[in-house]
Amino acid sequence: EAHSLAYTHKVLAEAFPETHKDGPWYRQLLIEPEPVGSGCIAQVYLGHLILDDLSDGQNQEKSSSCSSLCMGGLKALCKPCRARGAHSHVPPEKIHRSIKVAVKVVHPQVNRSCDLDLEVLNHLASFSDTLGLDHLGLSLMLRQFSTFLRAQTDLRQEARNIRGFHERFGPGAADDGPVVVPQVFDRWVARSALVMSFEVGEPLSELLTADTASLKHEQLEAWRLIVDLFWSMVFQHRFVHGDLHPGNLFWRRRHGNQ
């Protein structure tokens, strides 16, 4: 179940109290009021991250006024910019650009629920050991499960994994490579919140199940890339995506309609 926008604002305020010299987080990060997805651990919003440095080499959109940042739920924040008119002069040092981002926020009570569940399991494992069932390895399994579960609720670990995946497999959209991995913004990484570039695409599951002759080439190319990527993860880098199902992968045409 999705949590409220008010809770999201609270988490972002606590996670990024001083992220920018000009003020609080919402002076640099704008998010849509409705999430685009929600899972058991966190939910994701579409947003725009306003950047200071125009020489930044990431794949970003140039913006000469705040009007380019006005998405549905954000128009109210841009009223002062619209009041000046579209042709108002903006000094070069005040011109910013923005990049479309995905903002991931952990649900409330997730960490508390995990702590309670692990405490119950720990008591059960200890009880089994006292009964002489330690040869079953329940305590060892619990420790391994605890490490895995806590990593799932810490978005700093997810950010490290994304960076590692990006370094190994993703040349990035700017290089028109076959695999594009989201870019993590180091200043916007916390235990309960994470900001990364938003990559546009269609679910790979829809492509693979499409029953049309016009997409046969794309389907074969997708399967080839998936197999190459999987073998590269397992045998070359030993760095494997743990949830690599078609619904977690997106596809889009490269430059030149490829």
Side-chain angles (χ1 to χ4, degrees):
E1 182 179 354
H3 60 253
S4 67
L5 181 63
Y7 177 79
T8 293
H9 287 172
K10 177 177 179 292
V11 170
L12 293 174
E14 293 174 351
F16 312 115
E18 295 294 337
T19 58
H20 193 253
K21 60 184 178 181
D22 293 333
W25 67 270
Y26 51 80
R27 294 290 298 272
Q28 197 174 2
L29 177 64
L30 308 177
I31 64 173
E32 284 282 6
E34 296 295 331
V36 295
S38 181
C40 59
I41 299 295
Q43 66 190 40
V44 179
Y45 294 87
L46 174 63
H48 268 67
L49 181 62
I50 304 173
L51 302 169
D52 299 315
D53 186 5
L54 286 176
S55 64
D56 195 330
Q58 296 171 338
N59 182 29
Q60 299 149 348
E61 310 168 39
K62 290 186 177 180
S63 171
S64 59
S65 71
C66 291
S67 61
S68 66
L69 302 177
C70 292
M71 305 180 297
L74 304 177
K75 291 183 178 179
L77 297 177
C78 300
K79 285 181 179 178
C81 301
R82 297 204 304 273
R84 290 197 295 267
H87 301 289
S88 299
H89 174 69
V90 182
E93 64 274 11
K94 295 297 183 180
I95 294 177
H96 301 287
R97 62 179 173 176
S98 67
I99 182 172
K100 189 178 291 186
V101 294
V103 182
K104 190 171 186 178
V105 179
V106 173
H107 290 308
Q109 304 300 327
V110 163
N111 290 309
R112 181 173 178 272
S113 297
C114 288
D115 290 340
L116 288 175
D117 291 345
L118 290 174
E119 184 176 354
V120 171
L121 291 175
N122 184 56
H123 284 306
L124 291 176
S126 298
F127 181 67
S128 69
D129 289 345
T130 60
L131 294 178
L133 301 177
D134 51 299
H135 61 281
L136 297 178
L138 295 181
S139 298
L140 175 60
M141 287 189 291
L142 174 63
R143 287 195 296 270
Q144 293 175 336
F145 179 71
S146 175
T147 300
F148 169 79
L149 187 60
R150 293 187 188 283
Q152 293 295 307
T153 63
D154 189 346
L155 297 185
R156 295 171 298 183
Q157 179 61 45
E158 180 170 339
R160 287 190 287 270
N161 291 336
I162 294 175
R163 291 191 197 99
F165 210 85
H166 190 277
E167 292 171 358
R168 293 168 174 83
F169 306 102
D175 298 323
D176 196 27
V179 178
V180 177
V181 181
Q183 178 74 38
V184 172
F185 297 91
D186 295 340
R187 191 191 302 179
W188 298 88
V189 175
R191 180 181 181 84
S192 299
L194 171 64
V195 178
M196 68 189 86
S197 62
F198 183 86
E199 302 298 339
V200 179
E202 301 176 30
L204 184 63
S205 54
E206 295 182 5
L207 172 64
L208 299 180
T209 57
D211 187 17
T212 172
S214 62
L215 292 176
K216 289 300 180 183
H217 173 74
E218 286 81 358
Q219 290 174 333
L220 291 174
E221 180 69 7
W223 279 117
R224 184 188 65 81
L225 287 175
I226 292 172
V227 172
D228 288 348
L229 178 62
F230 183 79
W231 292 130
S232 180
M233 286 191 295
V234 174
F235 295 109
Q236 181 178 356
H237 298 289
R238 297 183 181 179
F239 193 85
V240 180
H241 193 296
D243 198 18
L244 201 64
H245 60 80
N248 252 0
L249 297 174
F250 292 82
W251 76 283
R252 65 187 181 208
R253 297 188 184 278
R254 300 164 64 185
H255 299 311
N257 203 35
Q258 298 181 354

